[in-house]
Amino acid sequence: MKRALVAIERCESYSSEEVREALVKICEAAALPSVEGKKVLLKPNILSDSPPERAVTTRSEVLRELIKLLWEKGASEIFVGDSPSISSSHFSPRTSGIAQVCQEEGATWVDFSKDPKTYPIPWSYGHKYPLAAIIDEVDIIISVAKLKTHQLMYATGAVKNMFGTVVGLHKSACHLRFVKRESFARMLSGLYSVVKPHFAIMDAIIAMEGPGPSAGSPRYTGLLLASNDPTALDAAQGIIMGYDPFTLPLTAELVKRKLTLWRNLDEIEYPLLKAEEVVVENFKRIEIQPKTNLFKALVIPFFTRYLKFYSQKREPKPLFDPLLCIGCGKCVKICPAQALTLTEEFKIDVDYKQCIRCYCCHEVCPVDAITIEGEG
Ligand code: SF4
Ligand code: SF4
């Protein structure tokens, strides 16, 4: 029976030599599947095409060494793609350096938003979403994630990274339909059952702590990770950040839905370093919020409006700093609840009664003008 393997290795910098050495080791230890003669899709985390030093995106240096390694192992074609929520057509990740790496290393950049295909997503009340068509055209998919915090799911990771296969602003529609953390995690699990990467790598050399996934601070952790089970990689990420992985709604949901190669944490094997050995001290995590309890779940059908308002009031809310805001309107465009208005003075008005606390606005703000009230 296939076992969940998580390989963790120290990698002190983004120098090509160090990344290469660590990558070879973790890919071997975590049983990278054979890519010989195969078409491979790499899915880095390009939430927004940000400069590398902000730690928002998977670093291009990791991607470069991975592409080189896959060519050496005989891959026939290598594609790299993503679809940030707000991006123009013909998006190409220049600022992060990823476009240049693709060009120099002979990989093909794919904008997922071109000619998507619609797929039904399990456990999402029969909803269908347009996904990147290329997921059906390749033999191997590798999630190339970044170790980062996330306001809604507490941690971004190898599984959540695949949400990028839902094209562009359709991601906002998902947030509007699956408002609570638990239901959003359920939808992500359904998506994962459709787009299941065969392997996952995580760039944690410089991670992100604090109010991620876009406005946090870079945090040096000096690690590269790989796994034959993206869910196990995310569990290891949780431990490194200082969480009990079962308190992370997505990981708990994946285990419940039997989408993992493991049921208990002691079934995850660590052929190199163990996650417990590399826990980052005082890592600035997102505080875990109380779950919707059974009583509320039962009465919701009867008191939906009241409880929606009540439960939203308990969630931290986005605050907009008018001194930092540059009036770009990106938050208004992405807000699935239409809770935001750009005033004539180019400032943001918020209707907190409409706000569903999805934090999409926080993710896309280019100048960190949005903070989440209640974060530590
Ligand atoms: S204001 Fe921000 S957090 Fe509230 S619904 Fe809109 S995008 Fe989501
Ligand atoms: S995304 Fe940020 S900078 Fe742009 S309008 Fe919204 S708050 Fe202002």
Side-chain angles (χ1 to χ4, degrees), residues 151-169:
Q151 290 289 353
L152 189 64
M153 304 311 290
Y154 305 121
T156 309
V159 174
K160 167 77 175 57
N161 184 32
M162 301 316 287
F163 190 41
T165 58
V166 176
V167 302
L169 280 170

Side-chain angles (χ1 to χ4, degrees), residues 163-294:
F163 190 41
T165 58
V166 176
V167 302
L169 280 170
H170 289 276
K171 292 186 211 47
S172 298
C174 296
H175 281 287
L176 192 58
R177 284 181 183 134
F178 305 99
V179 174
K180 302 299 296 176
R181 281 193 174 81
E182 295 86 356
S183 59
F184 193 70
R186 195 178 64 237
M187 183 279 299
L188 286 177
S189 301
L191 176 67
Y192 179 71
S193 72
V194 176
V195 196
K196 205 168 182 180
H198 302 81
F199 198 73
I201 286 170
M202 186 172 284
D203 165 18
I205 300 172
I206 297 179
M208 178 181 279
E209 65 177 3
S214 61
S217 315
R219 173 76 190 257
Y220 175 80
T221 64
L223 298 169
L224 266 185
L225 299 83
S227 181
N228 60 348
D229 179 354
T231 71
L233 187 56
D234 287 355
Q237 171 187 242
I239 293 169
I240 292 169
M241 288 173 153
Y243 288 115
D244 167 357
F246 285 100
T247 62
L248 302 174
L250 181 52
T251 295
E253 188 70 25
L254 291 160
V255 173
K256 188 173 110 189
R257 303 262 168 206
K258 299 193 169 64
L259 291 168
T260 55
L261 289 174
W262 54 281
R263 297 283 295 162
N264 301 305
L265 292 175
D266 59 9
E267 289 166 23
I268 299 174
E269 290 186 26
Y270 292 97
L272 302 172
L273 292 165
K274 288 187 189 331
E276 287 81 1
E277 290 173 53
V278 290
V279 173
V280 180
E281 269 190 40
N282 305 318
F283 189 87
K284 289 186 192 142
R285 303 185 305 251
I286 309 282
E287 192 187 333
I288 301 273
Q289 300 293 318
K291 272 194 200 168
T292 309
N293 67 29
L294 187 60

